[in-house]
Amino acid sequence: MQESTAKRSAHNDDAVEALNSLVAGTTLAEVNGNGVSTGLKDNTNTGKEVHWGGENQQPVSDDETQKPELGDQTVEDLIEALSAKKTKKKRKSSKKGLSAPSGFEEYYVDVPVTPEQFEEEKSIYDASITFSERIETAIQRYVARRKFDSVRKDLFDKYMSFGGIDSGPKMFGGGLDSQTLEESTAADIAKLTATNYVGNEQVDPRSKDYVVDFDGVLKGFLSSRLPQVFDLVEEQQIKGHIAVIRNFLNYLLHHEVCPEYKDQINAARDTCNLGEKQLWSITQACRILPGHFNQACSVLFGGYHQRQYIGDQEWVQSLDVDKGMSIEQARKIFLAGLAAQGDDEVFRKYNKHVSKNKAHALEKVETGLEVIEIEYADEEIRKYYAAADNPAKGLSPLGTMKVKTWKNTDDAPEDLTEEEEQELADGNNSQGQIYTLWIEDNVLSKLFVGMKLEAKIYKLSFGIWFLDLVTGAFCSFFDVLPNEKMIGWREHKYLPRREVQKRPDLVLTTHPEDEGADEPRALPQDAEDYEQGEDIVVRE
């Protein structure tokens, strides 16, 4: 194959490098993707054809040598062999197990139990075995049969801890030596390496501090714990988190782990369905509360949104951010809402205060609220907002919402007496103060009866209340359990006298149950406020 003098001359250096690389075992494509010619013009302008030959593959003239041979192979043979080597297929890495189901697919169900498995589970889940042993075994077998990713495992462990199940390696359990592995079955090894187990305090049958309540624990976890530690920004995130818990509850029912609590588990599954809907509604509602009308009132009457308008600033024009509400826009929205929902008494008071320039906020209340009634705009109000001459045309019609006061038990002091705790519970069950708030229909569609809010509301001088700011929103089944405070807690121990004598920071006291005991219990020296014999504990 012949090439032009200019082109061959340009590739001369590449050709030398290519051949040396080929002899060293490098493929042609790795050196020059355009290929290398075997016949090149001499760069010395002699006009003679040059070939590769001689020692160290130096170029020699056409009349001095013939095409060299490398052993029994010519250069062309070597090029062909090395090019074939390039096309050799690489061994694919094994993907065994990657396509196996994780157990968390939307329509995944456990396979039917075989007769052998039934007999095995009948023995390990027998009613004569304590609930704590059965649930521990079930949790460990469940974890072994599911493929957890990091998010699912984190959520499952937190749910377990919230429900009184310890998560993490057992202390002082020791490792697994080769003899133990040889003598143990797969089920035994799974149990020895399990990271979820029932603590000693929960196992004690004499303990009255723990009760089995699948639904109560789940309500507390979904309403108070889950929103604090996991992202609930997208609907799929919420469904994915709750699907893990539902999957576990289904496993308990399928394998008949604790049939005496079947009704509780079914109630907990219903709570999963309700939690999915309410948590997603809360996420959407928090993005648009308090609504345009209440924001307008806040701008006009000294609320949170006053003086937050930045739409007239040049630097913000190209940014996709909330620019607030101008006073002109707020006035139009407020007057339209007043005309839509106000009655004769409201108009009379409003005109009176406006004429004297005395319209203002009379009262501010920061409180918890519970939604007790939602009423969407009627046909007349919808027509009014759709009218061409309405300055608020294009906004959602204004409906109403009734709320009552509610106290967040999570904000209560920790040292309440039993009587004070009961009084707090009775206060939330009572009717409480009722307020009527005007809110757009598109916002009301994201709210639901029973929804809990932490909010700031204002009363205006002409009689209406408006929602200024929402700082928290919770499910209808919101509950705060002491479970979270008990995570990682261990039983305290009293120190014997011989230890107290070694500790200058401790003093002796006598517990009422220790009358006549040789070793009274010990208290810190700063416990002078406690009477002798009072039940105060010290960590060992």
Side-chain angles (χ1 to χ4, degrees):
M1 179 174 59
Q2 292 293 324
E3 293 181 344
S4 66
T5 301
K7 185 174 182 181
R8 286 197 299 260
S9 178
H11 288 289
N12 187 42
D13 293 338
D14 290 339
V16 175
E17 182 182 355
L19 184 58
N20 290 333
S21 300
L22 285 169
V23 174
T26 306
T27 64
L28 185 62
E30 292 173 320
V31 177
N32 190 342
N34 298 322
V36 179
S37 174
T38 58
L40 301 176
K41 289 292 184 179
D42 186 7
N43 285 338
T44 59
N45 296 323
T46 60
K48 295 183 179 180
E49 194 84 16
V50 294
H51 296 277
W52 309 117
E55 294 182 357
N56 300 325
Q57 304 303 319
Q58 297 298 320
V60 296
S61 64
D62 189 25
D63 54 358
E64 293 177 345
T65 185
Q66 295 181 350
K67 199 175 293 184
E69 293 189 0
L70 302 177
D72 295 332
Q73 291 180 315
T74 64
V75 174
E76 285 80 357
D77 293 334
L78 184 58
I79 293 175
E80 183 178 355
L82 292 174
S83 298
K85 183 179 178 181
K86 170 192 171 184
T87 60
K88 185 178 180 180
K89 292 184 178 179
K90 294 182 179 180
R91 185 177 180 180
K92 293 183 178 180
S93 59
S94 174
K95 295 184 179 180
K96 183 179 180 181
L98 294 180
S99 60
S102 64
F104 295 104
E105 289 75 14
E106 184 175 1
Y107 299 106
Y108 179 88
V109 293
D110 284 296
V111 296
V113 178
T114 64
E116 293 78 11
Q117 291 173 333
F118 175 78
E119 291 300 326
E120 179 190 10
E121 293 184 353
K122 186 177 179 181
S123 63
I124 62 178
Y125 299 140
D126 188 84
S128 61
I129 301 175
T130 63
F131 170 77
S132 59
E133 292 179 90
R134 282 180 285 151
I135 195 66
E136 181 177 275
T137 301
I139 293 170
Q140 293 168 357
R141 291 167 71 93
Y142 170 78
V143 171
R145 297 182 182 184
R146 295 292 187 271
K147 288 177 61 177
F148 285 88
D149 58 25
S150 59
V151 176
R152 289 191 179 113
K153 191 64 171 70
D154 185 34
L155 182 137
F156 184 75
D157 286 344
K158 284 183 169 58
Y159 171 57
M160 290 290 103
S161 297
F162 192 85
I165 306 297
D166 291 339
S167 296
K170 283 188 176 181
M171 298 298 292
F172 314 112
L176 295 179
D177 53 29
S178 57
Q179 182 179 356
T180 303
L181 291 173
E182 292 175 0
E183 297 175 354
S184 303
T185 64
D188 293 334
I189 294 174
K191 186 173 183 178
L192 290 171
T193 57
T195 58
N196 300 104
Y197 52 92
V198 180
N200 295 330
E201 294 79 14
Q202 294 90 323
V203 171
D204 188 354
R206 298 169 299 175
S207 175
K208 298 181 180 179
D209 296 328
Y210 294 90
V211 295
V212 179
D213 188 356
F214 285 93
D215 191 36
V217 168
L218 182 59
K219 286 180 177 178
F221 182 77
L222 294 184
S223 62
S224 62
R225 179 65 172 162
L226 183 68
Q228 292 180 13
V229 295
F230 290 96
D231 287 334
L232 304 179
V233 178
E234 301 295 337
E235 186 176 14
Q236 283 305 118
Q237 289 178 317
I238 297 173
K239 289 184 176 181
H241 295 331
I242 296 180
V244 175
I245 301 173
R246 185 190 290 111
N247 189 283
F248 171 68
L249 297 174
N250 290 339
Y251 181 89
L252 298 182
L253 292 175
H254 181 70
H255 294 275
E256 298 183 356
V257 176
C258 44
E260 67 271 32
Y261 296 110
K262 182 178 180 180
D263 291 342
Q264 280 194 24
I265 297 175
N266 283 324
R269 292 203 306 170
D270 292 338
T271 299
C272 286
N273 299 333
L274 182 62
E276 275 186 1
K277 298 176 182 177
Q278 292 195 357
L279 287 172
W280 177 230
S281 293
I282 289 171
T283 298
Q284 296 177 90
C286 288
R287 294 171 180 170
I288 54 179
L289 280 169
H292 288 105
F293 175 79
N294 290 282
Q295 185 179 0
C297 292
S298 180
V299 170
L300 296 174
F301 298 103
Y304 171 82
H305 297 277
Q306 192 178 54
R307 299 188 185 91
Q308 292 199 12
Y309 178 65
I310 57 174
D312 54 354
Q313 303 293 321
E314 183 177 353
W315 62 269
V316 82
Q317 299 305 316
S318 60
L319 301 179
D320 184 18
V321 295
D322 181 15
K323 300 177 178 62
M325 183 180 292
S326 66
I327 294 178
E328 295 75 14
Q329 185 182 9
R331 186 176 291 111
K332 292 178 181 179
I333 294 174
F334 170 73
L335 292 176
L338 193 66
Q341 285 289 351
D343 55 21
D344 293 341
E345 181 66 17
V346 170
F347 278 120
R348 185 185 65 80
K349 290 183 178 179
Y350 173 73
N351 290 329
K352 178 180 178 182
H353 285 83
V354 168
S355 62
K356 297 181 180 180
N357 199 23
K358 291 185 177 180
H360 63 283
L362 283 179
E363 184 180 353
K364 178 177 71 173
V365 178
E366 292 188 49
T367 182
L369 301 172
E370 179 180 344
V371 179
I372 58 176
E373 183 180 324
I374 293 175
E375 184 176 347
Y376 292 97
D378 56 28
E379 185 64 25
E380 183 178 355
I381 293 177
R382 287 198 295 271
K383 289 181 178 179
Y384 168 74
Y385 271 89
D389 57 347
N390 190 339
K393 183 182 179 182
L395 295 178
S396 180
L398 202 61
T400 61
M401 173 180 71
K402 288 186 178 180
V403 295
K404 72 170 187 177
T405 53
W406 162 77
K407 292 183 179 180
N408 188 346
T409 54
D410 194 28
D411 295 335
E414 296 184 359
D415 56 348
L416 294 180
T417 64
E418 292 184 2
E419 292 77 11
E420 290 172 331
E421 289 179 351
Q422 187 61 44
E423 182 180 349
L424 179 62
D426 293 340
N428 279 335
N429 294 330
S430 63
Q431 186 64 28
Q433 179 69 40
I434 296 179
Y435 304 97
T436 299
L437 304 172
W438 300 352
I439 300 182
E440 286 82 4
D441 282 359
N442 67 318
V443 181
L444 292 177
S445 65
K446 307 303 179 185
L447 308 181
F448 49 87
V449 174
M451 184 177 184
K452 310 295 193 300
L453 301 171
E454 288 183 332
K456 184 189 297 183
I457 58 177
Y458 282 78
K459 183 180 181 180
L460 298 178
S461 57
F462 42 93
I464 70 172
W465 289 85
F466 73 86
L467 182 64
D468 180 54
L469 182 66
V470 175
T471 57
F474 310 95
C475 296
S476 61
F477 50 82
F478 176 79
D479 195 9
V480 178
L481 303 179
N483 294 32
E484 188 172 350
K485 299 177 182 178
M486 301 301 294
I487 295 175
W489 184 85
R490 293 293 180 268
E491 183 68 39
H492 294 72
K493 293 183 179 180
Y494 289 99
L495 297 177
R497 181 190 297 272
R498 59 179 177 274
E499 294 296 329
V500 174
Q501 293 173 349
K502 303 175 184 178
R503 297 272 301 275
D505 58 321
L506 299 179
V507 294
L508 293 177
T509 185
T510 302
H511 191 276
E513 298 177 2
D514 294 342
E515 293 294 338
D518 294 334
E519 295 186 350
R521 309 187 188 193
L523 289 178
Q525 281 187 344
D526 58 1
E528 63 271 9
D529 294 337
Y530 300 100
E531 298 179 0
Q532 290 287 320
E534 191 166 350
D535 188 6
I536 305 298
V537 295
V538 179
R539 287 188 182 275
E540 185 173 6

